[in-house]
Amino acid sequence: LLGTSITISSNHWMTAWTGLEINTLAIIPLISKSHHPRAVEAAIKYFLVQAAASAMVLFSSMTNAWQTGQWDITQLTHPTSCLLLTTAIAMKLGLVPFHFWFPEVLQGSSLLTSLLLSTLMKFPPITILFLTSHSLNPHLLALMAISSAALGGWMGLNQTQTRKILAFSSISHLGWMTIIILYNPQLTLLTFYVYSITTTAIFLTLNTTKTLNLSTLMTSWTKTPALNATLMLTLLSLAGLPPLAGFMPKWFIIQELTKQEMTPAALTMALLSLLGLFFYLRLAYYSTITLPPNPANHMKQWSINSPTSPTIATLASLSTLLLPLSPMILASI
């Protein structure tokens, strides 16, 4: 929280870099907490990638200061610095082609640490992208965004681990956030907020039912039927189906891209979101609609007696019911 607060409230490159470093060092003990070899491996991968990205942020800002005498984040004007910063932020966020570390790190972490990595840890880099968006290369950003949406959709199709599926979902959502940041940065933030609310609801639900892969998800309906039904709606919201809140940012982004005469990009992004829809539907199908084949000697899992946490209830309600407020949200951004 301290690292995020420092980064998002700074206007000097050194303080922004300090906040990013505090964030990186703070999350590493959380990733490696279980002392499992996968967790230690995930922590090392995370550290190496983030250290390289932080060094590039520092290199970019120093090159810009050397050439222009400016340390202000919004005054990034030197072309080499802009290219270096785009690379560094793509590494921090896990945008294609720097996405390889993200699914592996999420798979090695617990569900709650994965939640932090997918939401809170993405906020400082997105803020830096927001502040410098006017000076970045539009063609490069559009290429990375469309590649992220495509790869996030394709790679998620064949996964059986829920954390990896949510990692690829995060990569494809980052594509949606990146493509619009040059034309309407407020829409990027709106997409991030809606994505964070929905993903938090999903991760907390999976953590309650202790679901790490699809086979466990198939049998978790006996534990908490109501929670699983809500999970299905939240997953469909993350996919962006119309009556649910997840449709709102995608609708606004496609509308804005069409206004900017980027209809081919809008069409490509809309078609690529169908790939994501397929694996969200598969998750929703496993969680609620299908009954697994149970042999006669199968042990039934007993229901969880504890009531659903109010946090999950609130977040799931927000992630499914926000769409009617879209005119008010559009007027406020």
Side-chain angles (χ1 to χ4, degrees):
L1 283 172
L2 176 68
T4 303
S5 308
I6 290 173
T7 302
I8 65 178
S9 58
S10 61
N11 57 4
H12 191 286
W13 275 114
M14 290 308 287
T15 47
W17 174 81
T18 308
L20 290 170
E21 284 298 292
I22 291 170
N23 250 358
T24 302
L25 294 174
I27 197 81
I28 284 170
L30 291 175
I31 299 173
S32 59
K33 186 178 60 176
S34 67
H35 301 300
H36 189 275
R38 280 301 291 269
V40 176
E41 181 191 335
I44 292 169
K45 281 179 181 171
Y46 184 77
F47 173 74
L48 291 174
V49 171
Q50 298 298 315
S54 290
M56 286 186 81
V57 168
L58 210 52
F59 185 33
S60 157
S61 55
M62 284 174 69
T63 310
N64 190 63
W66 184 269
Q67 297 290 339
T68 64
Q70 278 289 350
W71 279 101
D72 194 297
I73 292 181
T74 53
Q75 304 297 318
L76 189 78
T77 50
H78 192 253
T80 312
S81 298
C82 294
L83 190 64
L84 280 169
L85 184 83
T86 310
T87 310
I89 296 298
M91 283 174 81
K92 284 235 166 249
L93 287 171
L95 275 172
V96 173
F98 308 104
H99 62 283
F100 297 101
W101 63 273
F102 190 56
E104 299 298 324
V105 170
L106 247 65
Q107 185 58 29
S109 314
S110 68
L111 281 165
L112 291 178
T113 310
S114 302
L115 165 61
L116 282 177
L117 285 168
S118 303
T119 54
L120 191 64
M121 300 300 287
K122 295 284 170 80
F123 194 38
I126 282 180
T127 312
I128 292 178
L129 204 59
F130 180 89
L131 291 171
T132 55
S133 58
H134 55 273
S135 49
L136 301 179
N137 183 338
H139 302 296
L140 180 63
L141 282 181
L143 180 67
M144 288 166 93
I146 291 170
S147 309
S148 298
L151 190 124
W154 277 118
M155 297 290 287
L157 293 178
N158 211 18
Q159 302 297 331
T160 56
Q161 302 290 324
T162 49
R163 284 167 294 184
K164 276 202 172 171
I165 290 175
L166 287 165
F168 287 115
S169 143
S170 179
I171 291 169
S172 65
H173 275 84
L174 282 167
W176 283 88
M177 292 174 214
T178 310
I179 200 159
I180 201 66
I181 195 151
L182 284 176
Y183 311 103
N184 194 338
Q186 279 78 15
L187 276 184
T188 296
L189 290 183
L190 172 69
T191 312
F192 179 71
Y193 296 147
V194 173
Y195 164 75
S196 297
I197 290 169
T198 316
T199 305
T200 306
I202 291 171
F203 268 117
L204 292 177
T205 306
L206 295 176
N207 189 51
T208 305
T209 55
K210 300 287 180 282
T211 305
L212 294 177
N213 52 34
L214 293 182
S215 55
T216 323
L217 189 62
M218 286 171 80
T219 55
S220 68
W221 66 274
T222 50
K223 292 183 186 176
T224 49
L227 195 58
N228 263 33
T230 319
L231 176 64
M232 181 186 75
L233 285 175
T234 318
L235 283 164
L236 294 180
S237 175
L238 197 59
L241 280 185
L244 305 166
F247 175 62
M248 176 175 53
K250 292 189 175 177
W251 171 30
F252 289 163
I253 288 173
I254 288 172
Q255 191 179 355
E256 185 66 32
L257 285 174
T258 314
K259 279 184 196 168
Q260 300 289 341
E261 297 182 357
M262 291 179 67
T263 315
L267 180 65
T268 312
M269 293 298 282
L271 288 173
L272 289 173
S273 70
L274 290 174
L275 291 169
L277 177 62
F278 179 82
F279 65 77
Y280 294 124
L281 274 173
R282 190 171 67 145
L283 273 173
Y285 181 76
Y286 278 137
S287 71
T288 314
I289 305 165
T290 183
L291 289 179
N294 289 330
N297 60 356
H298 178 72
M299 283 276 287
K300 279 282 185 216
Q301 289 182 308
W302 289 98
S303 296
I304 297 172
N305 286 327
S306 58
T308 303
S309 112
T311 314
I312 298 179
T314 310
L315 290 169
S317 306
L318 283 173
S319 59
T320 48
L321 304 173
L322 275 179
L323 189 66
L325 296 179
S326 48
M328 185 177 83
I329 292 168
L330 191 58
S332 65
I333 60 175

